[in-house]
Amino acid sequence: MPNKLGEFTVTPWEVKGEVDYDKLIREFGTTPITDELIERIAKFTGDVHPFLRRKIFFSHRDLNWILDRYEAGEKFFLYTGRGPSGHTHMGHLVPWIFTQYLQEKFGAELYFQMTDDEKFLHNSELSLDTTVGFTYENALDVIACGFDPEKTFIFSDIEYAKTIYDIAVKIAKHITFSTAKAVFGFENSTNIGMIFFPAIQAVPCFLPSVLKGKNVPCLIPAAIDQDPYWRGVAREVAPKLGFYKPAQIHSKFIPGLGQGGKMSASEPETAIFTVDPPELVHSKIMRSFTGGRSTIQEQREKGGIPEICPVYRYYEILLKDDKDVREVYCRCREGELLCGEDKLRLSEVVQTFLKEHQRKREEAKKTLEKFMVRD
Ligand code: TRP
């Protein structure tokens, strides 16, 4: 299987083990986001988003090119998506929150793809009705992130198929089975729907160019596990079809509350879903794995290990002020902050965040139709 990188695995369908992000950058051939590039972005945005400062978004392709185009007066659009296989969890929100920020700062349109087809094809237990249903559930969470209804287009692959299919076949014609196997690790036992699917995920990279009748640069904010689609398909076919290659900005994975691995809906006890009630959120966090030692005495003497601790990683995502994050880090390292206290505080921070998110999610039911596009 390609992309199995020694002790860890990163493919669009599986992320396992302790991910070495520097190694991933080398293997995938992407470019790290340097302080210089962050400064350049800040020239346009006027500030630096905490996710950039904290290297949660850490890698890219062609970001300088996108900024060159923007400087020359050519606006780009944003493209991201979601595989609607279940309810949204906190890990999913990270790229969406950042995408909303980019939309606001650059006045960019967003095309948001719900791959209900992919999730149906990939998971033998999900019916098509179920995945299309989750398209609508998940869309509420997307909208709750604050996107502009005038500039945001959310679509289900199934319901927008007529528009998408035309472009998908033009893409698919240029991708051989051996390329698809090499990039995605497909085997003879893989169903042929999955083998065609990468063409579908590449479509939105070019959709606005087709709809507007002129080339529009595309920037994709997404977790780095989606990179094979861009590297292996979209960027390969773009010049052949006369489009710009899409640019990318990649995030790291958001850990679950267990030991190692990303937050995953298939391990519900270690994932915080946006629809979870407060008591459940609290009990999940209180049972979280941490970077703490086995006894209080040892913890006081040696200090905890924030680097491996999901509780600490959540502070990195949710606390606005760098000073507060730093303080948690230092107090933990010095053995002053114990895990019980630490988890109690995180539980409050997460509950405050979710209360607000759930309020906006309810509101979103009224505006949903403004965002959805279909044939
Ligand atoms: N395949 C993605 C998933 O399973 C969904 C997706 C479609 C996506 N298009 C995207 C994610 C673009 C990021 C960017 O979650």
Side-chain angles (χ1 to χ4, degrees), residues 251-263:
S251 71
K252 295 180 181 168
F253 308 111
I254 307 309
L257 299 171
Q259 184 172 8
K262 70 166 181 174
M263 189 171 271

Side-chain angles (χ1 to χ4, degrees), residues 289-293 299 303-311 332 339:
F289 171 77
T290 68
R293 309 283 175 175
Q299 174 107 354
I305 313 166
E307 284 79 3
I308 61 161
C309 181
V311 175
C332 170
C339 299

Side-chain angles (χ1 to χ4, degrees), residues 257-311:
L257 299 171
Q259 184 172 8
K262 70 166 181 174
M263 189 171 271
S264 162
S266 54
E267 290 168 50
E269 64 292 348
T270 63
I272 301 167
F273 294 95
T274 61
V275 294
D276 279 351
E279 320 77 65
L280 185 57
V281 170
H282 181 72
S283 74
K284 282 179 182 177
I285 292 176
M286 294 314 285
R287 275 183 276 132
S288 174
F289 171 77
T290 68
R293 309 283 175 175
S294 30
T295 64
I296 290 185
Q297 198 194 348
E298 200 189 342
Q299 174 107 354
R300 293 267 185 232
E301 279 164 20
K302 297 187 185 153
I305 313 166
E307 284 79 3
I308 61 161
C309 181
V311 175

Side-chain angles (χ1 to χ4, degrees), residues 12-13 79-85 92 95-96 111-115 118-119 157 197 200-202 204 220-223 225-226 229-230 262:
W13 302 285
Y79 162 37
T80 193
R82 154 85 180 135
S85 53
H92 300 129
W96 305 351
Y111 286 76
F112 196 107
Q113 179 180 46
M114 293 288 187
T115 57
E118 174 195 19
K119 291 299 147 176
D157 281 345
F197 174 75
I200 301 276
Q201 184 152 330
I220 308 172
D225 62 329
Q226 299 297 307
Y229 288 108
W230 327 129
K262 70 166 181 174

Side-chain angles (χ1 to χ4, degrees), residues 282 285-286 311 315 319 321 323-325 327-329 331 337-352:
H282 181 72
I285 292 176
M286 294 314 285
V311 175
Y315 284 125
L319 296 184
D321 200 330
K323 267 210 328 265
D324 291 340
V325 181
E327 195 188 309
V328 174
Y329 183 89
R331 288 186 61 223
L337 176 62
L338 299 180
C339 299
E341 178 191 340
D342 202 18
K343 288 195 245 183
L344 270 179
R345 174 166 174 216
L346 182 70
S347 168
E348 260 171 47
V349 172
V350 172
Q351 285 182 53
T352 307

Side-chain angles (χ1 to χ4, degrees), residues 141-340:
D141 292 298
V142 173
I143 295 166
C145 291
F147 290 102
D148 179 347
E150 304 296 327
K151 291 196 172 128
T152 305
F153 311 96
I154 306 176
F155 58 90
S156 134
D157 281 345
I158 294 294
E159 295 181 349
Y160 205 34
K162 196 167 160 218
T163 303
I164 290 174
Y165 191 64
D166 185 282
I167 309 169
V169 288
K170 291 173 187 157
I171 294 167
K173 196 171 184 177
H174 292 285
I175 305 295
T176 65
F177 183 39
S178 64
T179 299
K181 271 201 286 200
V183 174
F184 297 100
F186 295 141
E187 287 159 5
N188 279 352
S189 58
T190 307
N191 74 60
I192 59 174
M194 285 298 288
I195 293 160
F196 180 74
F197 174 75
I200 301 276
Q201 184 152 330
V203 168
C205 303
F206 315 126
L207 181 61
S209 300
V210 173
L211 295 176
K212 293 177 206 286
K214 64 164 190 202
N215 268 342
V216 192
C218 170
L219 174 62
I220 308 172
I224 196 164
D225 62 329
Q226 299 297 307
D227 188 67
Y229 288 108
W230 327 129
R231 165 177 24 105
V233 182
R235 295 173 61 86
E236 282 297 309
V237 303
K240 294 178 184 151
L241 298 177
F243 297 120
Y244 290 138
K245 288 185 180 183
Q248 283 93 58
I249 182 159
H250 300 118
S251 71
K252 295 180 181 168
F253 308 111
I254 307 309
L257 299 171
Q259 184 172 8
K262 70 166 181 174
M263 189 171 271
S264 162
S266 54
E267 290 168 50
E269 64 292 348
T270 63
I272 301 167
F273 294 95
T274 61
V275 294
D276 279 351
E279 320 77 65
L280 185 57
V281 170
H282 181 72
S283 74
K284 282 179 182 177
I285 292 176
M286 294 314 285
R287 275 183 276 132
S288 174
F289 171 77
T290 68
R293 309 283 175 175
S294 30
T295 64
I296 290 185
Q297 198 194 348
E298 200 189 342
Q299 174 107 354
R300 293 267 185 232
E301 279 164 20
K302 297 187 185 153
I305 313 166
E307 284 79 3
I308 61 161
C309 181
V311 175
Y312 175 69
R313 292 287 303 281
Y314 277 90
Y315 284 125
E316 278 193 322
I317 294 164
L318 293 169
L319 296 184
K320 296 228 154 42
D321 200 330
D322 287 353
K323 267 210 328 265
D324 291 340
V325 181
R326 193 74 211 152
E327 195 188 309
V328 174
Y329 183 89
C330 294
R331 288 186 61 223
C332 170
R333 274 259 110 137
E334 281 155 23
E336 196 184 314
L337 176 62
L338 299 180
C339 299

